[in-house]
Amino acid sequence: MALIITDECINCDVCEPECPNEAIAPGDEIYEIDPSKCTECVGHYDTPQCVEVCPVDCIPKDPDHVENEEQLMEKYHKLTGK
């Protein structure tokens, strides 16, 4: 399942550089995660790095983009060519 940034985001800029898939970008009001690029860091790290560094805990799983570990790994392979 992809992750989503809620409106509790304080635009602190720490999550964007941590994303290995470049799925996080500034939105109109808060940072946003592109679900087509988010693998929850599967293939890169054991845990989602944006969640690890977020100081306000505003990055939950996105219920509108449910994916299992296998699907996330397939997306990782597609994005990285590995």
Side-chain angles (χ1 to χ4, degrees):
M1 151 176 323
L3 300 171
I4 188 169
I5 297 176
T6 68
D7 60 3
E8 295 172 9
C9 175
I10 59 171
N11 289 312
C12 66
D13 303 319
V14 298
C15 62
E16 183 182 21
E18 295 299 319
C19 182
N21 297 321
E22 299 180 352
I24 301 174
D28 291 337
E29 294 183 27
I30 59 173
Y31 277 86
E32 298 176 351
I33 297 176
D34 180 345
S36 68
K37 293 181 177 180
C38 179
T39 62
E40 291 187 43
C41 290
V42 167
H44 295 283
Y45 302 102
D46 292 335
T47 59
Q49 297 302 286
C50 59
V51 174
E52 293 289 324
V53 299
C54 181
V56 292
D57 194 29
C58 69
I59 309 175
K61 292 180 183 268
D62 184 350
D64 293 333
H65 295 94
V66 178
E67 297 167 296
N68 62 34
E69 182 101 9
E70 184 178 307
Q71 291 169 313
L72 292 170
M73 185 58 83
E74 287 177 26
K75 191 189 307 185
Y76 162 77
H77 289 302
K78 184 178 176 184
L79 290 169
T80 63
K82 294 181 182 180

